[in-house]
Structure formats: structure tokens, C-alpha cells
Amino acid sequence: MSLEDLKLKSLAWPDHHRLDSYYSGDHRLDAIGVSLPPEVRVLEMTVSWPKMAVEVLDEVLNVEGFRVQGASPEQGAEVTDLLRSWWQANNLDTHSHLGHTEAMVQGRAFAVIGPGAGNTPQISVHSAKGIAVDVDAFGNVCEAVQRFSDKGTEYLIHYTPGFNTVYQVGKDGSRYQYTAPSGTQYIPVVPLVNRSRINDVRGTSEMQDVLTLADAASRSLTNLQVAQELLALPQRYLFGNGLNDLKDQNGKPISKLKAYLGMLWTGPQDAKAGQLPGADLTQIINAVKLYAQMVSSITGIPPSFLGIQTDNPSSAEAMRAAKERLITKAERKQALFGDAWEQVMRISLDMYAPLLGINADELSIETLWRDPATPSKSAKAANALQAHAQGILSAHTAREALDLTPEQRAYEDGYEKELMTGI
């Protein structure tokens, strides 16, 4: 693909704004053909189900580290510690979640690797907006461009095997600035694709299947708001002559609003008073529950997460069973995004291999994830302690799961050694 084609491709962001508005809850009902009077706009409501479909998965996508197998166990351990230090130096504990969220909202995000300070690469996570890639028949990135702004000036980086070329973008086109070696045989741009099919190279938003249901529920909730304002209160009537002559105990005319809200009514002779019951809003409420059940069946989100409650609370076993599909879905996301993070670390190693004396081609890298069934640190620690009590894990491995500081682990390891040796 030519540079000009990639430049045009980087400017094409189909559905980017629309998906962003659904995730942030800013989409308007008139965008789906519903016209509301300006006076009623204050009653408009939107559901957050599209955002929940993303965040309920992102909450359990926690990278724990990497497992590296090298030419020797010592080399594998050395590179494992190196990758962990690179991960922490680039704040990827936080930024990886931003990348996962962006990929599930927009269909894909990107990680870009570049030279950093010392022997640490700079790894950053970016939205698909302003980045375009060209892939070969095997799905490998063979060329990429990235647009960015610096102090009000727009630039474009053209990534090719072994080189990065920078252009300044102006009204009259692109102007060449300089070319620098990238230090790697790979293209240092890695897509994080939320892929649903083999040929889906662009990725699919995790919210896609629930957008229409979210629109339908938003319509129902808005109708519920309008009905509460106009129809929920009983409608009272008073028929007869001389209604305009209603007066209070002081002889002053009573306004229609005061007469409507008054607890004690008086009227002219032969007047007939009555009341029309308020509207039954149960049908609208049941419609919202139906939409929530459909979202649950599509996404695997337990019904209780969507606010669907029953008279009989679910047992602990039933609640765990309801999360099984969501856990399986999260495990597949881990495998999908894990391939991308492995490629990020492989490119980083290839970029710094000459400086570190490492042959990156001899290494096998695997991403380690926290168990999605126990996403919290406390649950992970409880499982580790139980496994240690049953003799499955050593005390040293259990301490690593407790998230102790390096000083605390060293002290406990030394204390354990003293007990074993009797010194």
C-alpha cells in the first residue's frame, strides 16, 4: 500500500464518534429517529449497558507478567525480570487497561514501541484514530502510519521495516523531515484487535450487539419519565356551573392548581366531582426488564448486574453458574490480547537485543493473566494461601501472590531459610 493510501486511511474513522457517544452515554434519542419537544428534553434518559458490556470484561483483564523460555533457565528468568521492569517503567498496569477498553469500544487500539531512556523502550497505547496499518496475507503488519500533534504542528510517521520516516503535515501537503533507524526488523506498531471473525482485521466493537437494545430501553425510560410527569398522578375533575367562582375562606378566588392539590374541595350546587386513576406504568417497566434480559443473554452479563432482581435471592452456586459464560468470554479475550502484548515485548526485545546481548529469536514469550474468576487481589491471595495450606504451592510462591514488597519477600525468605537450617 502506498504512503498516500495509508494517509487517507488514517483519516477515515468510521463510527468512531458514534461508538464514543454510546460508551460515554452522550448519544441522543433523536439520532435514532425519535423527535422530542425541547421542553421534554430534560426528561431524556439513556442506559449504560454498552459501557457495562465493555467494563465488565475489562475489570478481569489484568496482566500479571510474562513467562519467558530461553536457551537456558537462567536466561529465561533474566528476560522475565527485564520484561517486568519494562512493563512497570511504561505504566502499563494502567495503560494496558486503557488499551483493552479502547479496543473493545472501537474494535481496535494500537501499541507503539519506540526508543526510550537508557535500555528501556518506550511503549505507548493509542486510539485507532490517526493510525493506519497494512497487513500481509498472514496478518502481520508490514507498514504503518501515525498522525500526531506537537505544539500545534501536525506530523506523520511512516513506519517501514527498519526505518521510521517523519513528515510535517500542512495545508499544502506533507513535507519530509528526516528518517531514523527503528532498530528492529518488525514494524513497531501492534494492533490490539477485538476480533470476532478470521477476516475481521479492523475489529468489532464489544458494544455492537447491544446498541439497538440500549436505544429501545432508552426510549422506554424516557417514555416512563414523561408518563410520570403527565399520567402517573390521578386526574380529578369537577363538573358544574360556576366553577370559576370557587373561593377560599377569605373570599379570594382559588387557582386551578391550588384547587387540584387541595385536600378539601368545595364546589357549586349540583356539581359532580370525580377522579380518573393514574396510568399503570407496569408495561413500560416490564419492557425495560425484557431488554435487560436480552442484553444478559447476548453478553453473558449476569442478570443481577443489570438490575434484574427476583423475589427469591439466588444462591451462591447459582450466582457462580451465572458468571461462567462471562468468565469463559474473558479467558478468550485474554488469549486474544495476550498475543498482542507478546508481540509488543518481542519487538521491544528485538529493538534492544544488541545492547543487552540477548538473542530474541531464541525466546518464547507467554502473557500471564490473573484468573478472571478471581479478579481482585484479595481473592487471588486467598486462593494462594489455600493452595499453600494443601501443599500445592511453596511458601515462596504463596508470598509472591500476597503482593508483598521486595524487601518483605526477602525478609520472609531469609527467615524461612533460618528455620530450615536451624541457624
Side-chain angles (χ1 to χ4, degrees), residues 10 38 47 50 97-99 115 143 151 212 244 316:
S10 68
V47 296
H97 283 285
L98 300 179
E143 192 178 4
K151 299 179 180 179
T212 55
N244 293 329

Side-chain angles (χ1 to χ4, degrees), residues 55-134:
E55 292 194 343
V56 75
L57 288 171
D58 178 61
E59 290 170 358
V60 296
L61 297 178
N62 302 292
V63 177
E64 293 279 88
F66 297 90
R67 180 184 294 117
V68 180
Q69 295 181 350
S72 64
E74 293 77 12
Q75 185 188 41
E78 178 186 353
V79 177
T80 298
D81 293 338
L82 180 65
L83 297 186
R84 183 180 290 111
S85 68
W86 286 354
W87 185 270
Q88 296 295 333
N90 287 280
N91 297 320
L92 289 176
D93 281 336
T94 301
H95 292 172
S96 63
H97 283 285
L98 300 179
H100 300 156
T101 298
E102 187 68 20
M104 288 188 286
V105 171
Q106 296 293 343
R108 64 175 174 175
F110 290 93
V112 179
I113 306 98
N119 292 337
T120 301
Q122 183 176 357
I123 304 172
S124 54
V125 179
H126 301 267
S127 165
K129 194 173 182 179
I131 298 181
V133 297
D134 185 27

